[in-house]
């Protein structure tokens, strides 16, 4: 069971949260992007084995979105922060 | 050596001390025509069908652990073909038909047992959806039958079919040809058969890097030295993105932990596979008597081969809602495999942006049932540099064209 750091509620059990996947490094304008660039942004993931940034929402709590850095191989947590500071 | 009643008797007389090894453990050669990364069911089946159907025998299968130690030995052994879309139904039913002959084809008892799969329904909406699925399956020649509550009470007596059950059951759809097989035996059978055709199976050999020249792969850097390759095939399930990154491209894949548990051995009590999508659990009983139980994948990307306790707790709650009588049964083991989930829950058996590199991935929570057919079509794709008729819809190009094939419902396990 992960214990995740909600920015408002402090450390809480994973079952209160929902994960929304990795923070995307790709940003494109759908109006002008080629099919390939759009498909890459929409579907492709880095899916890193190791430390990455990912979105979580305290869905069964205060409903705040935030990001954390987590090692996907060891589940070790590092930093976290509010939306706007993820990149 | 061919396995038979005669070889069994002969070896019984010598106290089973002289059985030959099922496959060799050669040191890797400097170069192979085809190198397959991943010695799970899919990698080994692909090697076997490359040799058998396409006459390519200069093949190495590289396995970072040992044969049967990855997802092939971690799944819950279900085999079925009740998929909604035409292309999926054709593919998975071909796989079931290959499984029906597999013990004979490979001269290895994979213990395929067509004990049927019963999918429970709990609401009118599910019944309506079941009608649609049954009609689609019927149109594709895959027969299912509808079971009433009385049928269920008669055939699965321990299932709680009473109207005051926690989640009352109002009917079920059964695919009788579905079943289970001994999972690691499938890997062993393909390993032995591929070895018999000249394939090198190299265990304890992890790939650390992929060397490219222009748009071609030239060699693999492995823990047993560099191995040059004419063509390279990736069949590594949850680690697909890691290998793709070595080759310089990204995939529409997210890796998750999928857990399963087995109970202590019980007397025979369940002679079919029972699952419920709404309550979300499925159970079967192994030949050793253990109940094999599976449910959802974990909720976040993971490469750790263990999962969260919350997932197991939900799985147990769902199992007990269907079978309250199991309340005192103890669990023996819990484990997780890392599964490769595509956005549309359909597999990817495809060419890649690298000319002589091919990939089989996206099998998600259901790769075991697909091993024989997956091996046939992946071997075809590698040998002829174009897809087989059964994997034309499984290309990476579908994510650019938008022609996805959403099988999230038929996947039966929540993705």
């Amino acid at each position: 069971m992960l214990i995740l750091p909600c920015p408002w509620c402090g450390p809480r059990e994973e079952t209160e949260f929902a994960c929304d996947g990795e923070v995307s490094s790709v940003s494109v304008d759908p109006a002008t992007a080629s099919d390939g660039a759009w498909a890459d942004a929409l579907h492709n993931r880095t899916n890193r084995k190791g430390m990455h940034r990912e979105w979580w929402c305290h869905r069964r709590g205060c409903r705040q979105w935030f990001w954390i850095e987590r090692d996907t191989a060891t589940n070790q947590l590092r930093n976290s922060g509010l939306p706007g500071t993820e990149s | 050596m061919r396995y038979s009643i005669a070889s069994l008797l002969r070896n019984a007389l010598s106290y089973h001390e002289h059985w030959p090894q099922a496959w060799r453990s050669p040191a890797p050669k400097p170069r192979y025509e085809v190198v397959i990364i991943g010695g799970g069911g899919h990698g080994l089946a692909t090697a076997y069908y490359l040799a058998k159907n396409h006459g390519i025998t200069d093949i190495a299968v590289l396995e970072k652990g040992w044969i049967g130690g990855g997802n092939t030995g971690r799944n819950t052994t279900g085999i079925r073909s009740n998929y909604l879309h035409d292309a999926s139904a054709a593919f998975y039913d071909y796989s079931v038909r290959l499984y029906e002959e597999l013990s004979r084809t490979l001269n290895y008892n994979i213990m395929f047992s067509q004990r049927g799969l019963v999918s429970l329904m709990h609401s009118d909406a599910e019944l309506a959806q079941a009608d649609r699925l049954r009609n689609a399956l019927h149109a594709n020649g895959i027969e299912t039958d509808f079971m009433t509550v009385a049928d269920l009470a008669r055939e699965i007596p321990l299932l709680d079919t009473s109207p005051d059950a926690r989640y009352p059951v109002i009917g079920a759809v059964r695919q009788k040809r579905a079943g289970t097989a001994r999972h690691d035996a499938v890997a062993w059978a393909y390993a032995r058969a591929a070895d018999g055709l000249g394939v090198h199976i190299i265990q304890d050999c992890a790939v650390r890097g992929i060397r490219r020249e222009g748009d071609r792969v030239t060699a693999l850097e492995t823990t047993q030295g560099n191995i040059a390759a004419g063509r390279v095939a990736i069949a590594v399930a949850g680690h697909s993105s890691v290998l793709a990154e070595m080759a310089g491209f990204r995939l529409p894949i997210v890796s998750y932990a999928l857990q399963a548990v087995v109970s202590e051995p019980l007397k025979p009590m369940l002679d079919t596979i029972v699952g419920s999508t709404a309550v979300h659990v499925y159970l079967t009983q192994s030949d050793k008597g253990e109940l094999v139980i599976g449910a959802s994948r974990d909720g976040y990307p993971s490469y750790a081969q263990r999962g969260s306790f919350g997932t197991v707790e939900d799985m147990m709650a769902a199992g007990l809602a269907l079978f309250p009588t199991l309340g005192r049964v103890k669990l023996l083991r819990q484990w997780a495999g890392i599964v490769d989930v595509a956005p549309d829950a359909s597999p990817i058996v495809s060419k890649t942006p690298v000319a002589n590199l091919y990939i089989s991935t996206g099998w998600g929570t259901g790769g075991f049932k697909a091993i024989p057919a997956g091996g046939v079509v992946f071997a075809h794709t590698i040998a002829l540099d174009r897809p087989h008729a059964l994997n034309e819809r499984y290309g990476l190009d579908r994510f650019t064209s938008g022609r996805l094939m959403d099988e999230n419902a038929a996947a039966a396990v929540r993705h």
Side-chain angles (χ1 to χ4, degrees):
Chain A
M1 181 83 72
L2 302 178
I3 306 292
L4 298 169
C6 173
W8 309 130
C9 312
R12 310 286 292 188
E13 288 193 354
E14 168 203 327
T15 47
E16 297 183 12
F17 298 85
C19 180
D20 198 46
E22 71 189 36
V23 173
S24 175
S25 55
V26 183
S27 172
V28 296
D29 175 4
T32 54
S34 68
D35 286 354
W38 177 238
D40 185 52
L42 189 62
H43 294 300
N44 285 348
R45 299 288 180 271
T46 303
N47 195 26
R48 174 154 298 128
K49 183 178 187 179
M51 199 57 86
H52 82 157
R53 287 191 177 183
E54 63 192 7
W55 289 114
W56 287 82
C57 176
H58 195 188
R59 187 167 290 168
R60 294 170 193 85
C62 70
R63 300 200 158 189
Q64 177 63 49
W65 284 91
F66 60 100
W67 58 265
I68 58 172
E69 276 178 350
R70 182 177 61 89
D71 188 314
T72 57
T74 63
N75 285 332
Q76 182 199 349
L77 303 183
R78 210 158 57 185
N79 300 324
S80 66
L82 288 166
T85 62
E86 71 273 12
S87 53
Chain B
M1 172 203 270
R2 205 178 152 70
Y3 294 156
S4 67
I5 186 77
S7 70
L8 189 62
L9 287 173
R10 201 162 56 244
N11 282 281
L13 292 174
S14 56
Y15 302 99
H16 296 295
E17 286 175 358
H18 302 296
W19 285 102
Q21 283 197 320
W23 59 85
R24 302 159 294 165
S25 295
K29 295 195 302 177
R31 185 186 189 280
Y32 292 90
E33 174 53 33
V34 178
V35 176
I36 297 170
I37 308 172
H42 280 274
L44 294 164
T46 302
Y48 170 75
Y49 291 114
L50 270 171
K52 178 93 183 179
N53 296 351
H54 303 282
I56 301 172
T57 55
D58 185 22
I59 303 172
V61 178
L62 310 183
E63 166 56 45
K64 75 172 172 183
W66 65 95
I67 300 301
N71 284 3
T72 310
R74 289 169 184 265
N75 61 78
T76 48
T77 79
I79 294 162
R80 61 188 173 83
S81 59
N82 53 348
Y83 279 73
L84 178 64
H85 293 297
D86 295 350
S88 317
F91 175 84
Y92 286 103
D93 205 55
Y94 179 55
S95 209
V96 171
R97 278 182 271 125
L98 288 174
Y99 262 119
E100 284 170 340
E101 299 296 325
L102 205 59
S103 289
R104 203 170 298 124
T105 311
L106 301 179
N107 180 229
Y108 202 105
N109 185 6
I110 61 154
M111 301 166 77
F112 185 39
S113 158
Q114 290 178 291
R115 57 185 66 188
L117 166 76
V118 176
S119 308
L120 303 175
M121 309 286 151
H122 306 270
S123 69
D124 289 342
E126 277 188 291
L127 286 182
Q129 175 62 22
D131 276 345
R132 180 187 174 211
L133 177 62
R134 286 193 61 216
N135 284 331
L137 289 168
H138 179 72
N140 281 312
I142 299 166
E143 295 313 324
T144 56
D145 55 346
F146 186 79
M147 297 174 79
T148 62
V149 175
D151 295 336
L152 287 164
R154 189 177 61 251
E155 299 205 22
I156 311 172
L158 293 181
L159 176 69
D160 186 356
T161 50
S162 65
D164 30 324
R166 176 72 181 84
Y167 302 102
V169 176
I170 59 176
V173 172
R174 173 170 56 183
Q175 185 185 14
K176 280 188 174 170
R177 285 169 58 237
T180 59
R182 174 157 182 180
H183 48 12
D184 36 18
V186 174
W188 298 334
Y190 274 117
R192 175 171 166 269
D195 178 88
L197 295 171
V199 172
H200 282 188
I201 293 164
I202 300 160
Q203 300 179 71
D204 198 20
C205 180
V207 172
R208 294 281 182 246
I210 295 179
R211 289 196 180 170
R212 279 178 61 171
E213 266 176 32
D215 72 337
R216 298 183 69 79
V217 174
T218 53
L220 301 173
E221 297 164 9
T222 80
T223 49
Q224 296 194 29
N226 293 347
I227 301 174
R231 279 166 277 187
V232 173
I234 298 174
V236 297
H239 280 69
S240 297
S241 302
V242 177
L243 270 295
E245 190 180 9
M246 289 180 196
F249 60 94
R250 302 204 307 159
L251 289 170
I253 293 290
V254 180
S255 301
Y256 294 98
L258 178 67
Q259 301 189 69
V261 301
V262 294
S263 74
E264 59 190 324
L266 306 171
K267 287 181 178 177
M269 55 154 285
L270 185 61
D271 61 0
T272 184
I273 310 168
V274 182
S276 162
T277 317
V279 181
H280 209 63
V281 68
Y282 58 92
L283 301 92
T284 178
Q285 189 172 22
S286 76
D287 293 341
K288 282 189 285 187
E290 301 160 333
L291 288 174
V292 182
I293 309 172
S296 296
R297 63 162 174 81
D298 275 39
Y300 50 88
S302 178
Y303 286 89
Q305 280 179 326
R306 58 201 153 88
S308 289
F309 185 67
T311 310
V312 177
E313 230 173 1
D314 288 348
M315 191 193 299
M316 291 304 108
L320 288 184
L322 302 180
F323 292 91
T325 185
L326 300 179
R328 306 298 286 268
V329 174
K330 296 186 183 72
L331 297 183
L332 266 193
R333 296 190 302 280
Q334 167 275 345
W335 67 92
I338 303 304
V339 297
D340 39 342
V341 176
D344 55 358
S346 284
I348 296 164
V349 184
S350 179
K351 299 166 69 164
T352 69
V354 182
N356 57 342
L357 180 67
Y358 305 84
I359 193 159
S360 172
T361 183
W363 297 103
T365 57
F368 177 70
K369 71 172 84 70
I371 285 172
V376 169
V377 302
F378 197 30
H380 184 282
T381 307
I382 298 161
L384 305 177
D385 198 38
R386 58 179 161 80
H388 186 280
L390 287 173
N391 67 320
E392 276 176 345
R393 293 288 307 274
Y394 292 162
L396 270 173
D397 55 351
R398 75 177 186 264
F399 298 97
T400 309
S401 69
R403 204 168 175 227
L404 304 186
M405 193 155 50
D406 193 341
E407 286 287 7
N408 274 294
V413 170
R414 216 174 284 148
H415 274 65

